[in-house]
Amino acid sequence: MAQVPQRFFDALAVRTWCGLSLRALGRAREEIDAINVYPVADGDTGTNLYLTVESAVAAVEAVFAAHEVDGGTRDASEARDTSEARDTADGPSLADAVGAMAHGALIGARGNSGTILAQLLRGMAQVLTERGDSAHTEGPGLRLALRHAATSARQAVAHPVEGTVLTVASAAADAADGAEDDCAEVARAAYEGARAALVATPGQLPVLERAGVVDAGGHGLVTVLAALVETFTGRAPGPVAVPHARVEPGGAGPGEERATGECAEEGGEGGPAFEVIYLLEAEDAAVARLRRRLDALGDSLVVVGGDGLWNVHVHVDDAGAAVEAGVEAGRPYRIRITHFGHGDAHTTGAERPPRERTQRAVVAVVPGEGLAALYTEAGATTLLARPGEPPASGELVQAVRRAHAREVVLLPNDADLRHTAAAAAEQARTEGVRVALIPTRSAVQGIAALAVHEPERRFDEDVVAMTSAAGATRHAEVTVAERQSWTTAGICQAGDVLGLIDGDVAVIGADVSEVAATVLDRMLSAGGELVTLVLGDEAPQAVADRLEARVREAYLAVDTVVYRGGRQGALLLVGVE
């Protein structure tokens, strides 16, 4: 279906651009991953850009959804005098939309290129939010936003290198400066300028020239700018047709020696052992000191953000020191440490022969490190979901790819992940993987499904058996209320202990053991043969001991198993089969 063109750059254009960018990056992801050789040849630039934009899209959609809810209760008659007032009453302002886009990209940024893209979007937002509640901007405003984006991104990188996404961004801004005062013309000029700069990147960066590829991050930016053109014209430019040889992570292009992962200063073969990324709440002065500290520890340093919230990315040999530096500067969280270990970007192609696909695998989202270890021991590929950080569909797709199987059974283990998991399954199917999604609502249902998994039997039979086992498992959890709220069991106060059965609050109390015992009694009143208890880090062992004793005394034919789940959010997960 043809895209309806947008005349101005307003909130709807921001929403359209984000959506088109996500779809375009989804199509180009594998191609961009394949040419990723700088700063580390780890083959994930396309994926990181996709995940970054996916987070931006989610934030923009949330703003529109919130405005639709608010708009349903507001009388808009006062906004009928001018067209601009009508625009503002019908949806969020431009400032709301670009602010959400920039914030979403900031908190979801992945990898070196994703972090830089987040700063490019933030740079644009800084210019466009200065217009206050203005409903839209035209060509000159978009041109200024692109210029500030390129400048702010370059300032965020400790040691800017030409021939990278920074060069492509600057070229886009330069080309936009000469365009007519029309959003479509500005976007088209920026795209053409970026595309020409992308083609020239191998001549600027020796590692690209040796591999016979263009810069992967620059390719991603050109893809995003092509989506901007489509936003204003309704038609996408032709594919980004640039010459490149396919380079697999750890491998080499045809007739080329494999490019090693040089740091920003091209300091020789190999490179730091870890990629460290985290969000940081800190003051500007503390971040300035942090930049100097991290710059001395490693390379590929990019620090983006502002107004008290930052995204920090660096490659180092001492990951602990990088995190400690963040602790000294403020409050780091969402810490992600990736080890460039055996068989990665720092090993030779000869050491890494292509791996044959297995026939079948189970991919599961798990809420704690203890459960992740349990699932892994049972043969599953796991994706860790920390409290308050549900995985994006792109991360689930990545987990399916890591499983490297022809057939995959996907266990989301969370009712709220149903749509995310469905989107990931659909994407994996387009890549030739046969995927069955079992709608598990809790990790204990996933344990039950995994217990009956038999990869030797037919796929459909295995899925039916696993689905039946999960469906026959009632699930509950014991947690602590964060705020006052209405529940199905009455009003709870912050600090109350809540017992949820099959997703609904059934018990409110003050003592963890008592609430857990009440929950277990209610579940076993309908019968059961096996009780599974998964204790979180903050749950005392005495809770499990008391429940085990209760089952032994009151339910003679019922067995109990206990696991430690780690930082799983809930104090206790309960399953009854």
Side-chain angles (χ1 to χ4, degrees):
M1 186 173 65
Q3 174 65 41
V4 178
Q6 304 295 317
R7 182 180 176 188
F8 304 114
F9 196 58
D10 58 6
L12 183 57
V14 173
R15 186 187 201 183
T16 302
W17 180 33
C18 287
L20 291 173
S21 295
L22 187 64
R23 289 194 286 275
L25 286 170
R27 293 189 297 269
R29 181 196 57 76
E30 286 189 352
E31 181 181 12
I32 296 172
D33 281 348
I35 63 171
N36 172 203
V37 298
Y38 184 86
V40 173
D42 48 359
D44 63 357
T45 292
T47 299
N48 286 336
L49 290 169
Y50 179 89
L51 293 174
T52 301
V53 173
E54 185 177 47
S55 182
V57 168
V60 172
E61 290 301 324
V63 166
F64 271 86
H67 199 280
E68 287 166 5
V69 171
D70 292 342
T73 60
R74 183 174 58 241
D75 182 4
S77 62
E78 63 187 28
R80 295 175 180 162
D81 294 336
T82 68
S83 60
E84 182 166 315
R86 282 197 300 272
D87 288 344
T88 303
D90 291 340
S93 68
L94 173 61
D96 290 336
V98 295
M101 173 186 70
H103 181 75
L106 176 67
I107 64 175
R110 302 297 179 87
N112 191 69
S113 294
T115 308
I116 293 173
L117 177 61
Q119 187 64 17
L120 287 167
L121 297 179
R122 177 178 170 80
M124 292 186 69
Q126 286 176 318
V127 170
L128 298 173
T129 53
E130 289 176 354
R131 297 172 177 266
D133 291 330
S134 176
H136 66 263
T137 191
E138 299 185 24
L142 179 59
R143 191 160 50 218
L144 185 60
L146 290 169
R147 168 58 63 194
H148 187 65
T151 301
S152 63
R154 190 170 286 269
Q155 291 171 343
V157 177
H159 301 284
V161 175
E162 297 306 325
T164 65
V165 62
L166 299 176
T167 305
V168 176
S170 295
D174 291 342
D177 283 342
E180 297 178 9
D181 290 349
D182 174 82
C183 283
E185 292 303 316
V186 170
R188 187 179 289 108
Y191 165 77
E192 293 294 346
R195 185 175 175 278
L198 177 64
V199 174
T201 54
Q204 297 173 294
L205 199 55
V207 64
L208 301 180
E209 187 174 30
R210 288 196 299 272
V213 300
V214 296
D215 179 65
H219 192 330
L221 179 57
V222 171
T223 302
V224 170
L225 289 173
L228 186 63
V229 174
E230 186 177 359
T231 298
F232 294 118
T233 66
R235 299 177 63 111
V240 183
V242 292
H244 61 261
R246 182 175 179 83
V247 177
E248 298 290 352
E256 295 286 347
E257 181 181 354
R258 185 202 160 275
T260 56
E262 287 93 335
C263 66
E265 291 79 13
E266 296 196 65
E269 296 185 4
F274 298 95
E275 177 185 59
V276 178
I277 305 174
Y278 49 80
L279 293 179
L280 178 70
E281 293 178 356
E283 299 298 325
D284 290 3
V287 171
R289 293 191 296 271
L290 175 67
R291 288 179 192 270
R292 294 191 292 270
R293 174 86 180 274
L294 293 179
D295 193 25
L297 287 175
D299 60 44
S300 297
L301 173 60
V302 185
V303 181
V304 304
D307 301 321
L309 180 62
W310 308 82
N311 191 306
V312 179
H313 170 280
V314 66
H315 294 173
V316 294
D317 282 318
D318 189 344
V323 175
E324 288 172 8
V327 173
E328 292 176 5
R331 186 179 80 87
Y333 60 103
R334 293 197 186 182
I335 301 168
R336 298 178 185 273
I337 300 174
T338 302
H339 180 217
F340 299 134
H342 295 294
D344 68 4
H346 298 311
T347 60
T348 65
E351 294 170 337
R352 216 182 149 193
R355 183 162 58 100
E356 184 68 24
R357 283 185 181 272
T358 59
Q359 181 59 32
R360 188 176 307 160
V362 176
V363 174
V365 180
V366 290
E369 297 88 344
L371 279 172
L374 175 66
Y375 272 73
T376 301
E377 189 175 312
T381 297
T382 60
L383 176 61
L384 187 61
R386 294 181 174 85
E389 298 180 35
S393 64
E395 292 176 281
L396 278 170
V397 173
Q398 277 294 89
V400 171
R401 293 182 187 126
R402 280 194 288 115
H404 205 61
R406 298 181 184 90
E407 300 169 339
V408 169
V409 180
L410 184 57
L411 306 175
N413 292 338
D414 187 337
D416 292 336
L417 290 179
R418 180 182 57 189
H419 297 301
T420 301
E426 190 61 34
Q427 174 62 34
R429 292 183 188 115
T430 67
E431 299 177 9
V433 182
R434 187 181 184 187
V435 181
L437 170 61
I438 298 179
T440 47
R441 300 165 62 87
S442 169
V444 292
Q445 288 188 321
I447 291 173
L450 199 55
V452 301
H453 168 55
E454 292 185 15
E456 292 79 16
R457 62 186 166 197
R458 291 178 57 246
F459 184 64
D460 291 339
E461 292 177 355
D462 198 27
V463 171
V464 168
M466 295 176 72
T467 302
S468 178
T473 302
R474 299 188 69 196
H475 63 95
E477 67 177 80
V478 176
T479 188
V480 177
E482 296 181 354
R483 63 184 68 86
Q484 184 186 57
S485 179
W486 286 90
T487 76
T488 51
I491 300 175
C492 70
Q493 305 295 328
D496 282 349
V497 180
L498 307 180
L500 290 80
I501 299 177
D502 294 333
D504 294 323
V505 177
V507 183
I508 301 175
D511 182 78
V512 174
S513 294
E514 290 181 3
V515 169
T518 302
V519 166
L520 187 58
D521 284 340
R522 291 192 184 184
M523 295 180 75
L524 287 173
S525 65
E529 299 176 355
L530 176 66
V531 172
T532 301
L533 304 174
V534 184
L535 272 70
D537 270 355
E538 298 181 6
Q541 181 62 39
V543 173
D545 295 340
R546 176 175 174 179
L547 295 179
E548 283 189 285
R550 186 171 187 80
V551 171
R552 283 196 303 270
E553 295 167 2
Y555 307 95
L556 299 179
V558 179
D559 294 323
T560 305
V561 292
V562 180
Y563 303 109
R564 274 285 177 181
R567 293 173 291 177
Q568 62 186 26
L571 295 173
L572 175 69
L573 300 178
V574 183
V576 173
E577 303 175 45

